[in-house]
Each structure stands twice: as C-alpha cells, then as structure tokens.
Amino acid sequence: MTRRANWLLLTTLTIIGAGLYVGCSQPDDLLSPISRTSLTLSAQMLPDCPESMNYELWVVDDGNYLSLGKFGYSFAANKFLDEVGIPRGTGAEFIMEGDLLDYDSICISVEAIPDDDELTPGSLMLVDAVTIPSDDLIELVFPYSDDSLWYATCRYNMQTMSDTARGANTGAGLWLASYQTRTRLLQDTVTFDSFVIDSSYIDITDPDTTIVVGFVSIGIVTDTIMFGLDWYEHTGLQYEIVTETHLRDPAGSTLVTEVLFYLDTLPSIAITFDAFTQDDFDLPDYSAFGWHYKIWAVAPTVLGQGFSVGQFTLPAWANREGGLDRILGYDGGMISAGTFTDVTTADDDSAHWAIFSNDYPPSDPALLPYVSYARVPSFPGDEFFNVPAQGGGTGMLDLLQDGGEGTVFISLEPDNFVTDTTNFPLIPFIRRFPQTPPSLDDVQQETMDNLTHTNDPYWGFPKVSVEVQRY
C-alpha cells in the first residue's frame, strides 16, 4: 500500500473514531429517550406506619400526581414492607416508567386504609424538588423542618382561668402561652370642664401639616375595657377631633397646635389582670399539607385517676430506650389538650372555651349554641376540670399532684389519622412538667425542647434519601 493510501486510511479511521468517541460521550437521552427510572430509598428515623395506614411514594408534575406504590416500613429491621407488612420483593427500590427529570418534585404521603382516593395523595409527609442526581442529592424531609420549624419557639404554662381563682388549681391546665399577672392603673373621669387649643408657628420642611382646630361629640361616657381575660367598667372622656390641613407657607413655617384639657378625675386604682402571650412562637401552619398539631400530656396520674385516652407511641429515634427515658411518664397514661393549625388562636375543639373547663359545657344543654365566651385564653390548650373518667363520671385532673412526674409534648398529626387513642410518631416539641408550680410573681412558662432537625441522629425528624438511576 502506498504512503498516500496509508495516509488516507489513517485519516478515515481517525474521523470515524472521533465520531464514535463524540457520540459515546453524549448524554444517553440524546441517543435514545430515558424510558425507565429506578429510585432506591434510604430512610433515616422514618417511623413505622401506624395501624390502618400506609406510606405512598409519588412524583409530581405541575400539580399532577403519579403514584409509584404504597409501602410500609420497619424502623427496627430497617426494611421497606409491602402493604400487608411483608418485606418488599424489590426491597427499597421503586421503578417508574419514564424519566424522573420530567417531574417537578417527589414526595411520600401518609394514606389511610382503605384509601378513599387512589389518584391523589393524603397528608404529604416528606417532600423535595427533583434535581439532577449527580448535581444535588434528593432528600425528602418534612416541610419546613430544617428552617422554619427548627427555629420556632414553643412554651407552655399550667395555669387555670375558668375557676376564676388566681393561683388556685395550677396543674389542671395546659396552655401554649406564657402567663403572668400584670398591673395597670385605671382612672375614672367625673366631669369635663373645658379645653384650650393653643397655637404657635414653627419652621417645618414638610409640604403640609394637619392641625387640630376643634372637638365635637364631647361627653363623659361609661364603657367596658378588657384587660387580659376580664372586663372592667371605666368612665372617661369621649370626643371626636376636627382637623384642618395647612400648606407650607413661603416663609417656611406652618401652624401647629397644643391641646389642653381640664378634667375632674377620681384617684387611680390598680387593676391586676392575667396576661397570656406568645412572643416569637411562629409555628408554621401545615394545613395546606394535610397536617395539624396536637397537644398531649403523659403522666402516671392520668392513668391512676382513670382519665387516660390511650398509650404513647415513640418516634423512630435512634436510641429507643433513651427516647423513652426522655418521655417521663410515657407509660402512665395520656390525655390531649386539643388540636390546632394556628398557634395564635384557640384550638380546633374549643372555639372560645376549654372543652373540659368549669365553664363548658353549660349546665343547661339548650344554652350550648349560645355560649360565646368563657374565661380562658384564646390560645391552644385546655383545662381539666370536667374530664370524663374511664369508670364513669367526671372530675378534676391535677397533672402536678405527683410532684411533676410527667411530660407535655406536641405531635404533628395527619388529617387522615384514624385514631385518637395515641399520637402520630412525629414530635417537634417536648418538655417535662415543672417539679413545683411557679410563683404568680414570676412569668409562668416552660420552654419546650425542639426535636425537628433532620441532622440530629437521636432526636430529629425523618429523612429519606433517593438514589436515582435513569436508563
């Protein structure tokens, strides 16, 4: 073969080889579309499914959901189960037809058995956006658990208000708020004598100024003012202001006024009232995801007095025995103080009163539709005066009567949870009872421990990592 022929052959093979190299180095989906995706789940602190519930894996595209199958999970065995509780034949792997990158997000929901809607998810528990796996690992977490909920604050007090006896029966209440007594001076006006509008000129840079030029509807009226949870009668001056607006004059000054009142008043009296506050609680509202909060108390006295509604369910914490030790009184019985989605308002089962308080229900059942206000704070919580006992009848439950042996905690509950006899195993906040009731002179509050961050291997929330293979 001539040198020229050899050169032509080499050039041709080089071009063909380069073409093959370039073609092989292109993304697979440029050669042929991705027809199938494998998703392998790895769970961290994922709790077992409660009875009569399953998990379900979904992918989402512009609000349209595609189910990849229902499953259960065993935390103790670290195994993914099928719908009847047997280890899945494909283990933690889920197969979907098509390309995962055609979807916006991936999520795990909690589904009731039987499922009343197979086409849409129930309460969304763990979510994440779909990303290119090599660039950003997909990790499914509870919404806002690593930012908003992790930085939120939650406090509680155990004061009672419906008994109208300040400082009495502390321990028979449970409210998500700080409590303290406050004092304010209140002064009644007897008569109104006169007023004077005293005018002057000052330099001002604003383009115009509104000034007071008179009063109308002047008189002494008696009204009620609310301080804390109580109303007080107050007599004082009432009036409406008449104003004028003056444009800035060329000299750069404008008219302003000073108003002087001449009143006859009585000596000031000190009003002591009960103040419930929440400062920086800032708990996220999870209603859009199908979740609500629930307040629980566990203590031996709850079971001993016959008021327990069920048994405590521990979350999937790494050290289960240590987890139980942290829940003081977990085996002594539990009772709920209400459910809520908005921590700044009354809970769902007590619109303006506590369902167990002295003021509810009214002694005459015919008055029930007309009850609009009871002396309890407008925050989530309850008072345990008329609690139904297992043996019949009702009574007062004092959670502190055994020296504070017990725990208050808040759980996050799916709206489709089928039982009220235990908590769902997601607990964002927890605190033991105080050993002694605090003094009324102090701010009564217990700041709860936050247990939500997914990076905490012992007390955090669940996280599911997703390994993706597209082919």
Side-chain angles (χ1 to χ4, degrees), residues 434-465:
Q435 293 184 348
T436 57
S439 167
L440 282 177
D441 296 333
D442 301 325
V443 177
Q444 294 195 23
Q445 64 179 36
E446 293 290 326
T447 301
M448 304 176 77
D449 298 329
N450 191 312
L451 309 176
T452 60
H453 206 288
T454 55
N455 289 333
D456 188 330
Y458 297 103
W459 312 112
F461 261 27
K463 176 168 61 178
V464 173
S465 302

PDB file of all heavy atoms in Angstrom, residues 434-465:
ATOM      1  N   PRO A 434     -42.939  20.995  85.285  1.00  0.00           N
ATOM      2  CA  PRO A 434     -42.162  21.591  86.379  1.00  0.00           C
ATOM      3  C   PRO A 434     -42.385  20.789  87.662  1.00  0.00           C
ATOM      4  O   PRO A 434     -43.473  20.272  87.913  1.00  0.00           O
ATOM      5  CB  PRO A 434     -42.732  23.001  86.491  1.00  0.00           C
ATOM      6  CG  PRO A 434     -44.107  22.911  85.913  1.00  0.00           C
ATOM      7  CD  PRO A 434     -44.024  21.884  84.827  1.00  0.00           C
ATOM      8  N   GLN A 435     -41.344  20.674  88.473  1.00  0.00           N
ATOM      9  CA  GLN A 435     -41.479  19.889  89.709  1.00  0.00           C
ATOM     10  C   GLN A 435     -42.340  20.589  90.741  1.00  0.00           C
ATOM     11  O   GLN A 435     -43.001  19.943  91.552  1.00  0.00           O
ATOM     12  CB  GLN A 435     -40.091  19.608  90.284  1.00  0.00           C
ATOM     13  CG  GLN A 435     -39.263  18.673  89.403  1.00  0.00           C
ATOM     14  CD  GLN A 435     -37.930  18.321  90.031  1.00  0.00           C
ATOM     15  OE1 GLN A 435     -37.519  18.925  91.013  1.00  0.00           O
ATOM     16  NE2 GLN A 435     -37.252  17.339  89.467  1.00  0.00           N
ATOM     17  N   THR A 436     -42.350  21.920  90.729  1.00  0.00           N
ATOM     18  CA  THR A 436     -43.205  22.687  91.642  1.00  0.00           C
ATOM     19  C   THR A 436     -43.878  23.801  90.856  1.00  0.00           C
ATOM     20  O   THR A 436     -43.274  24.369  89.936  1.00  0.00           O
ATOM     21  CB  THR A 436     -42.390  23.298  92.794  1.00  0.00           C
ATOM     22  OG1 THR A 436     -41.350  24.130  92.242  1.00  0.00           O
ATOM     23  CG2 THR A 436     -41.771  22.202  93.647  1.00  0.00           C
ATOM     24  N   PRO A 437     -45.110  24.134  91.177  1.00  0.00           N
ATOM     25  CA  PRO A 437     -45.778  25.240  90.492  1.00  0.00           C
ATOM     26  C   PRO A 437     -45.020  26.544  90.713  1.00  0.00           C
ATOM     27  O   PRO A 437     -44.612  26.849  91.835  1.00  0.00           O
ATOM     28  CB  PRO A 437     -47.166  25.282  91.144  1.00  0.00           C
ATOM     29  CG  PRO A 437     -47.354  23.934  91.746  1.00  0.00           C
ATOM     30  CD  PRO A 437     -45.985  23.482  92.161  1.00  0.00           C
ATOM     31  N   PRO A 438     -44.801  27.337  89.662  1.00  0.00           N
ATOM     32  CA  PRO A 438     -44.088  28.599  89.828  1.00  0.00           C
ATOM     33  C   PRO A 438     -44.927  29.629  90.569  1.00  0.00           C
ATOM     34  O   PRO A 438     -46.151  29.522  90.647  1.00  0.00           O
ATOM     35  CB  PRO A 438     -43.814  29.048  88.391  1.00  0.00           C
ATOM     36  CG  PRO A 438     -44.864  28.364  87.581  1.00  0.00           C
ATOM     37  CD  PRO A 438     -45.159  27.076  88.274  1.00  0.00           C
ATOM     38  N   SER A 439     -44.262  30.638  91.134  1.00  0.00           N
ATOM     39  CA  SER A 439     -44.947  31.702  91.852  1.00  0.00           C
ATOM     40  C   SER A 439     -45.677  32.609  90.877  1.00  0.00           C
ATOM     41  O   SER A 439     -45.236  32.821  89.744  1.00  0.00           O
ATOM     42  CB  SER A 439     -43.938  32.512  92.666  1.00  0.00           C
ATOM     43  OG  SER A 439     -44.517  33.708  93.140  1.00  0.00           O
ATOM     44  N   LEU A 440     -46.804  33.174  91.330  1.00  0.00           N
ATOM     45  CA  LEU A 440     -47.536  34.112  90.485  1.00  0.00           C
ATOM     46  C   LEU A 440     -46.743  35.376  90.212  1.00  0.00           C
ATOM     47  O   LEU A 440     -47.040  36.120  89.294  1.00  0.00           O
ATOM     48  CB  LEU A 440     -48.876  34.480  91.146  1.00  0.00           C
ATOM     49  CG  LEU A 440     -49.991  33.434  91.036  1.00  0.00           C
ATOM     50  CD1 LEU A 440     -51.212  33.904  91.793  1.00  0.00           C
ATOM     51  CD2 LEU A 440     -50.336  33.163  89.585  1.00  0.00           C
ATOM     52  N   ASP A 441     -45.727  35.659  91.024  1.00  0.00           N
ATOM     53  CA  ASP A 441     -44.912  36.844  90.808  1.00  0.00           C
ATOM     54  C   ASP A 441     -43.964  36.675  89.626  1.00  0.00           C
ATOM     55  O   ASP A 441     -43.389  37.645  89.142  1.00  0.00           O
ATOM     56  CB  ASP A 441     -44.091  37.164  92.071  1.00  0.00           C
ATOM     57  CG  ASP A 441     -44.972  37.512  93.259  1.00  0.00           C
ATOM     58  OD1 ASP A 441     -46.095  38.008  93.016  1.00  0.00           O
ATOM     59  OD2 ASP A 441     -44.561  37.270  94.402  1.00  0.00           O
ATOM     60  N   ASP A 442     -43.777  35.441  89.162  1.00  0.00           N
ATOM     61  CA  ASP A 442     -42.876  35.177  88.055  1.00  0.00           C
ATOM     62  C   ASP A 442     -43.668  34.943  86.772  1.00  0.00           C
ATOM     63  O   ASP A 442     -44.869  34.679  86.797  1.00  0.00           O
ATOM     64  CB  ASP A 442     -42.021  33.936  88.335  1.00  0.00           C
ATOM     65  CG  ASP A 442     -41.191  34.089  89.608  1.00  0.00           C
ATOM     66  OD1 ASP A 442     -40.752  35.223  89.871  1.00  0.00           O
ATOM     67  OD2 ASP A 442     -41.019  33.089  90.326  1.00  0.00           O
ATOM     68  N   VAL A 443     -42.967  35.032  85.642  1.00  0.00           N
ATOM     69  CA  VAL A 443     -43.564  34.627  84.381  1.00  0.00           C
ATOM     70  C   VAL A 443     -43.634  33.099  84.372  1.00  0.00           C
ATOM     71  O   VAL A 443     -42.617  32.426  84.513  1.00  0.00           O
ATOM     72  CB  VAL A 443     -42.744  35.131  83.183  1.00  0.00           C
ATOM     73  CG1 VAL A 443     -43.349  34.625  81.881  1.00  0.00           C
ATOM     74  CG2 VAL A 443     -42.693  36.646  83.177  1.00  0.00           C
ATOM     75  N   GLN A 444     -44.830  32.565  84.234  1.00  0.00           N
ATOM     76  CA  GLN A 444     -45.005  31.117  84.246  1.00  0.00           C
ATOM     77  C   GLN A 444     -44.858  30.598  82.815  1.00  0.00           C
ATOM     78  O   GLN A 444     -45.728  30.796  81.981  1.00  0.00           O
ATOM     79  CB  GLN A 444     -46.368  30.746  84.808  1.00  0.00           C
ATOM     80  CG  GLN A 444     -46.521  31.100  86.276  1.00  0.00           C
ATOM     81  CD  GLN A 444     -47.719  30.418  86.888  1.00  0.00           C
ATOM     82  OE1 GLN A 444     -48.179  29.403  86.401  1.00  0.00           O
ATOM     83  NE2 GLN A 444     -48.231  30.980  87.964  1.00  0.00           N
ATOM     84  N   GLN A 445     -43.745  29.944  82.559  1.00  0.00           N
ATOM     85  CA  GLN A 445     -43.529  29.370  81.243  1.00  0.00           C
ATOM     86  C   GLN A 445     -42.483  28.274  81.334  1.00  0.00           C
ATOM     87  O   GLN A 445     -41.564  28.330  82.139  1.00  0.00           O
ATOM     88  CB  GLN A 445     -43.054  30.432  80.249  1.00  0.00           C
ATOM     89  CG  GLN A 445     -41.700  31.038  80.603  1.00  0.00           C
ATOM     90  CD  GLN A 445     -41.259  32.066  79.596  1.00  0.00           C
ATOM     91  OE1 GLN A 445     -42.066  32.814  79.053  1.00  0.00           O
ATOM     92  NE2 GLN A 445     -39.966  32.119  79.329  1.00  0.00           N
ATOM     93  N   GLU A 446     -42.661  27.263  80.531  1.00  0.00           N
ATOM     94  CA  GLU A 446     -41.665  26.226  80.339  1.00  0.00           C
ATOM     95  C   GLU A 446     -41.344  26.210  78.844  1.00  0.00           C
ATOM     96  O   GLU A 446     -42.235  26.015  78.011  1.00  0.00           O
ATOM     97  CB  GLU A 446     -42.197  24.864  80.788  1.00  0.00           C
ATOM     98  CG  GLU A 446     -42.425  24.745  82.283  1.00  0.00           C
ATOM     99  CD  GLU A 446     -41.128  24.720  83.071  1.00  0.00           C
ATOM    100  OE1 GLU A 446     -40.122  24.173  82.568  1.00  0.00           O
ATOM    101  OE2 GLU A 446     -41.118  25.255  84.204  1.00  0.00           O
ATOM    102  N   THR A 447     -40.095  26.464  78.482  1.00  0.00           N
ATOM    103  CA  THR A 447     -39.702  26.476  77.081  1.00  0.00           C
ATOM    104  C   THR A 447     -39.422  25.055  76.634  1.00  0.00           C
ATOM    105  O   THR A 447     -38.566  24.363  77.190  1.00  0.00           O
ATOM    106  CB  THR A 447     -38.462  27.354  76.865  1.00  0.00           C
ATOM    107  OG1 THR A 447     -38.748  28.680  77.305  1.00  0.00           O
ATOM    108  CG2 THR A 447     -38.084  27.398  75.395  1.00  0.00           C
ATOM    109  N   MET A 448     -40.120  24.610  75.596  1.00  0.00           N
ATOM    110  CA  MET A 448     -40.039  23.224  75.158  1.00  0.00           C
ATOM    111  C   MET A 448     -38.800  23.002  74.294  1.00  0.00           C
ATOM    112  O   MET A 448     -38.335  23.905  73.591  1.00  0.00           O
ATOM    113  CB  MET A 448     -41.312  22.850  74.396  1.00  0.00           C
ATOM    114  CG  MET A 448     -42.577  23.084  75.218  1.00  0.00           C
ATOM    115  SD  MET A 448     -44.106  22.767  74.327  1.00  0.00           S
ATOM    116  CE  MET A 448     -44.149  20.986  74.373  1.00  0.00           C
ATOM    117  N   ASP A 449     -38.253  21.784  74.372  1.00  0.00           N
ATOM    118  CA  ASP A 449     -37.112  21.407  73.551  1.00  0.00           C
ATOM    119  C   ASP A 449     -37.567  21.158  72.122  1.00  0.00           C
ATOM    120  O   ASP A 449     -38.619  20.553  71.882  1.00  0.00           O
ATOM    121  CB  ASP A 449     -36.459  20.133  74.096  1.00  0.00           C
ATOM    122  CG  ASP A 449     -35.930  20.331  75.513  1.00  0.00           C
ATOM    123  OD1 ASP A 449     -35.536  21.463  75.834  1.00  0.00           O
ATOM    124  OD2 ASP A 449     -35.922  19.354  76.283  1.00  0.00           O
ATOM    125  N   ASN A 450     -36.743  21.598  71.156  1.00  0.00           N
ATOM    126  CA  ASN A 450     -37.059  21.429  69.748  1.00  0.00           C
ATOM    127  C   ASN A 450     -36.388  20.160  69.224  1.00  0.00           C
ATOM    128  O   ASN A 450     -35.189  19.990  69.377  1.00  0.00           O
ATOM    129  CB  ASN A 450     -36.563  22.665  68.976  1.00  0.00           C
ATOM    130  CG  ASN A 450     -37.084  22.689  67.559  1.00  0.00           C
ATOM    131  OD1 ASN A 450     -37.009  21.700  66.853  1.00  0.00           O
ATOM    132  ND2 ASN A 450     -37.600  23.823  67.145  1.00  0.00           N
ATOM    133  N   LEU A 451     -37.172  19.277  68.602  1.00  0.00           N
ATOM    134  CA  LEU A 451     -36.672  17.962  68.200  1.00  0.00           C
ATOM    135  C   LEU A 451     -36.797  17.723  66.705  1.00  0.00           C
ATOM    136  O   LEU A 451     -36.886  16.574  66.258  1.00  0.00           O
ATOM    137  CB  LEU A 451     -37.437  16.866  68.949  1.00  0.00           C
ATOM    138  CG  LEU A 451     -37.522  17.001  70.468  1.00  0.00           C
ATOM    139  CD1 LEU A 451     -38.384  15.891  71.045  1.00  0.00           C
ATOM    140  CD2 LEU A 451     -36.137  16.968  71.087  1.00  0.00           C
ATOM    141  N   THR A 452     -36.792  18.771  65.879  1.00  0.00           N
ATOM    142  CA  THR A 452     -37.208  18.592  64.491  1.00  0.00           C
ATOM    143  C   THR A 452     -36.093  18.459  63.474  1.00  0.00           C
ATOM    144  O   THR A 452     -36.334  17.994  62.381  1.00  0.00           O
ATOM    145  CB  THR A 452     -38.079  19.789  64.059  1.00  0.00           C
ATOM    146  OG1 THR A 452     -37.310  20.993  64.184  1.00  0.00           O
ATOM    147  CG2 THR A 452     -39.306  19.891  64.909  1.00  0.00           C
ATOM    148  N   HIS A 453     -34.877  18.891  63.757  1.00  0.00           N
ATOM    149  CA  HIS A 453     -33.877  18.983  62.697  1.00  0.00           C
ATOM    150  C   HIS A 453     -33.466  17.594  62.215  1.00  0.00           C
ATOM    151  O   HIS A 453     -33.160  16.706  63.000  1.00  0.00           O
ATOM    152  CB  HIS A 453     -32.651  19.750  63.196  1.00  0.00           C
ATOM    153  CG  HIS A 453     -31.893  20.410  62.080  1.00  0.00           C
ATOM    154  ND1 HIS A 453     -31.148  19.692  61.179  1.00  0.00           N
ATOM    155  CD2 HIS A 453     -31.789  21.711  61.712  1.00  0.00           C
ATOM    156  CE1 HIS A 453     -30.603  20.530  60.315  1.00  0.00           C
ATOM    157  NE2 HIS A 453     -30.975  21.754  60.605  1.00  0.00           N
ATOM    158  N   THR A 454     -33.429  17.406  60.882  1.00  0.00           N
ATOM    159  CA  THR A 454     -33.115  16.092  60.319  1.00  0.00           C
ATOM    160  C   THR A 454     -31.647  15.730  60.480  1.00  0.00           C
ATOM    161  O   THR A 454     -31.267  14.568  60.280  1.00  0.00           O
ATOM    162  CB  THR A 454     -33.474  16.051  58.827  1.00  0.00           C
ATOM    163  OG1 THR A 454     -32.814  17.130  58.155  1.00  0.00           O
ATOM    164  CG2 THR A 454     -34.972  16.197  58.644  1.00  0.00           C
ATOM    165  N   ASN A 455     -30.780  16.688  60.836  1.00  0.00           N
ATOM    166  CA  ASN A 455     -29.365  16.385  61.036  1.00  0.00           C
ATOM    167  C   ASN A 455     -29.068  15.838  62.429  1.00  0.00           C
ATOM    168  O   ASN A 455     -27.933  15.466  62.717  1.00  0.00           O
ATOM    169  CB  ASN A 455     -28.513  17.645  60.802  1.00  0.00           C
ATOM    170  CG  ASN A 455     -28.469  18.014  59.333  1.00  0.00           C
ATOM    171  OD1 ASN A 455     -28.614  17.152  58.473  1.00  0.00           O
ATOM    172  ND2 ASN A 455     -28.274  19.283  59.042  1.00  0.00           N
ATOM    173  N   ASP A 456     -30.074  15.834  63.312  1.00  0.00           N
ATOM    174  CA  ASP A 456     -29.888  15.291  64.650  1.00  0.00           C
ATOM    175  C   ASP A 456     -30.154  13.789  64.605  1.00  0.00           C
ATOM    176  O   ASP A 456     -31.288  13.357  64.373  1.00  0.00           O
ATOM    177  CB  ASP A 456     -30.850  15.979  65.633  1.00  0.00           C
ATOM    178  CG  ASP A 456     -30.570  15.606  67.082  1.00  0.00           C
ATOM    179  OD1 ASP A 456     -30.082  14.475  67.322  1.00  0.00           O
ATOM    180  OD2 ASP A 456     -30.826  16.437  67.965  1.00  0.00           O
ATOM    181  N   PRO A 457     -29.127  12.940  64.813  1.00  0.00           N
ATOM    182  CA  PRO A 457     -29.320  11.492  64.652  1.00  0.00           C
ATOM    183  C   PRO A 457     -30.085  10.833  65.785  1.00  0.00           C
ATOM    184  O   PRO A 457     -30.401   9.646  65.702  1.00  0.00           O
ATOM    185  CB  PRO A 457     -27.879  10.959  64.585  1.00  0.00           C
ATOM    186  CG  PRO A 457     -27.089  11.942  65.396  1.00  0.00           C
ATOM    187  CD  PRO A 457     -27.741  13.284  65.172  1.00  0.00           C
ATOM    188  N   TYR A 458     -30.385  11.564  66.855  1.00  0.00           N
ATOM    189  CA  TYR A 458     -31.029  10.940  68.010  1.00  0.00           C
ATOM    190  C   TYR A 458     -32.445  11.451  68.253  1.00  0.00           C
ATOM    191  O   TYR A 458     -33.318  10.690  68.652  1.00  0.00           O
ATOM    192  CB  TYR A 458     -30.166  11.153  69.260  1.00  0.00           C
ATOM    193  CG  TYR A 458     -28.805  10.504  69.155  1.00  0.00           C
ATOM    194  CD1 TYR A 458     -27.671  11.251  68.886  1.00  0.00           C
ATOM    195  CD2 TYR A 458     -28.671   9.122  69.291  1.00  0.00           C
ATOM    196  CE1 TYR A 458     -26.426  10.645  68.769  1.00  0.00           C
ATOM    197  CE2 TYR A 458     -27.436   8.502  69.183  1.00  0.00           C
ATOM    198  CZ  TYR A 458     -26.311   9.273  68.917  1.00  0.00           C
ATOM    199  OH  TYR A 458     -25.087   8.675  68.789  1.00  0.00           O
ATOM    200  N   TRP A 459     -32.659  12.757  68.059  1.00  0.00           N
ATOM    201  CA  TRP A 459     -33.969  13.310  68.429  1.00  0.00           C
ATOM    202  C   TRP A 459     -34.639  14.045  67.268  1.00  0.00           C
ATOM    203  O   TRP A 459     -35.567  14.795  67.468  1.00  0.00           O
ATOM    204  CB  TRP A 459     -33.828  14.286  69.602  1.00  0.00           C
ATOM    205  CG  TRP A 459     -33.001  13.742  70.728  1.00  0.00           C
ATOM    206  CD1 TRP A 459     -31.782  14.166  71.124  1.00  0.00           C
ATOM    207  CD2 TRP A 459     -33.348  12.667  71.591  1.00  0.00           C
ATOM    208  NE1 TRP A 459     -31.321  13.428  72.169  1.00  0.00           N
ATOM    209  CE2 TRP A 459     -32.277  12.499  72.497  1.00  0.00           C
ATOM    210  CE3 TRP A 459     -34.444  11.835  71.704  1.00  0.00           C
ATOM    211  CZ2 TRP A 459     -32.271  11.534  73.485  1.00  0.00           C
ATOM    212  CZ3 TRP A 459     -34.434  10.872  72.702  1.00  0.00           C
ATOM    213  CH2 TRP A 459     -33.366  10.730  73.572  1.00  0.00           C
ATOM    214  N   GLY A 460     -34.152  13.845  66.033  1.00  0.00           N
ATOM    215  CA  GLY A 460     -34.642  14.635  64.916  1.00  0.00           C
ATOM    216  C   GLY A 460     -35.832  14.033  64.202  1.00  0.00           C
ATOM    217  O   GLY A 460     -36.433  13.057  64.626  1.00  0.00           O
ATOM    218  N   PHE A 461     -36.157  14.661  63.056  1.00  0.00           N
ATOM    219  CA  PHE A 461     -37.251  14.236  62.200  1.00  0.00           C
ATOM    220  C   PHE A 461     -36.722  13.276  61.130  1.00  0.00           C
ATOM    221  O   PHE A 461     -35.532  13.213  60.857  1.00  0.00           O
ATOM    222  CB  PHE A 461     -37.895  15.455  61.542  1.00  0.00           C
ATOM    223  CG  PHE A 461     -39.152  15.914  62.225  1.00  0.00           C
ATOM    224  CD1 PHE A 461     -39.359  15.678  63.561  1.00  0.00           C
ATOM    225  CD2 PHE A 461     -40.127  16.595  61.524  1.00  0.00           C
ATOM    226  CE1 PHE A 461     -40.514  16.103  64.206  1.00  0.00           C
ATOM    227  CE2 PHE A 461     -41.281  17.028  62.141  1.00  0.00           C
ATOM    228  CZ  PHE A 461     -41.476  16.779  63.481  1.00  0.00           C
ATOM    229  N   PRO A 462     -37.626  12.536  60.475  1.00  0.00           N
ATOM    230  CA  PRO A 462     -37.191  11.577  59.456  1.00  0.00           C
ATOM    231  C   PRO A 462     -36.673  12.260  58.192  1.00  0.00           C
ATOM    232  O   PRO A 462     -37.023  13.403  57.882  1.00  0.00           O
ATOM    233  CB  PRO A 462     -38.464  10.770  59.165  1.00  0.00           C
ATOM    234  CG  PRO A 462     -39.584  11.656  59.570  1.00  0.00           C
ATOM    235  CD  PRO A 462     -39.077  12.466  60.722  1.00  0.00           C
ATOM    236  N   LYS A 463     -35.838  11.527  57.474  1.00  0.00           N
ATOM    237  CA  LYS A 463     -35.330  11.958  56.183  1.00  0.00           C
ATOM    238  C   LYS A 463     -35.155  10.714  55.325  1.00  0.00           C
ATOM    239  O   LYS A 463     -34.703   9.681  55.799  1.00  0.00           O
ATOM    240  CB  LYS A 463     -33.994  12.684  56.347  1.00  0.00           C
ATOM    241  CG  LYS A 463     -33.327  13.084  55.032  1.00  0.00           C
ATOM    242  CD  LYS A 463     -32.170  14.055  55.249  1.00  0.00           C
ATOM    243  CE  LYS A 463     -31.080  13.471  56.100  1.00  0.00           C
ATOM    244  NZ  LYS A 463     -29.941  14.422  56.253  1.00  0.00           N
ATOM    245  N   VAL A 464     -35.526  10.806  54.055  1.00  0.00           N
ATOM    246  CA  VAL A 464     -35.373   9.692  53.117  1.00  0.00           C
ATOM    247  C   VAL A 464     -34.554  10.183  51.932  1.00  0.00           C
ATOM    248  O   VAL A 464     -34.970  11.100  51.216  1.00  0.00           O
ATOM    249  CB  VAL A 464     -36.741   9.154  52.645  1.00  0.00           C
ATOM    250  CG1 VAL A 464     -36.551   8.121  51.533  1.00  0.00           C
ATOM    251  CG2 VAL A 464     -37.500   8.526  53.812  1.00  0.00           C
ATOM    252  N   SER A 465     -33.372   9.601  51.743  1.00  0.00           N
ATOM    253  CA  SER A 465     -32.528   9.927  50.599  1.00  0.00           C
ATOM    254  C   SER A 465     -32.916   9.039  49.423  1.00  0.00           C
ATOM    255  O   SER A 465     -33.318   7.878  49.600  1.00  0.00           O
ATOM    256  CB  SER A 465     -31.051   9.723  50.941  1.00  0.00           C
ATOM    257  OG  SER A 465     -30.691  10.522  52.059  1.00  0.00           O
TER     258      SER A 465
END
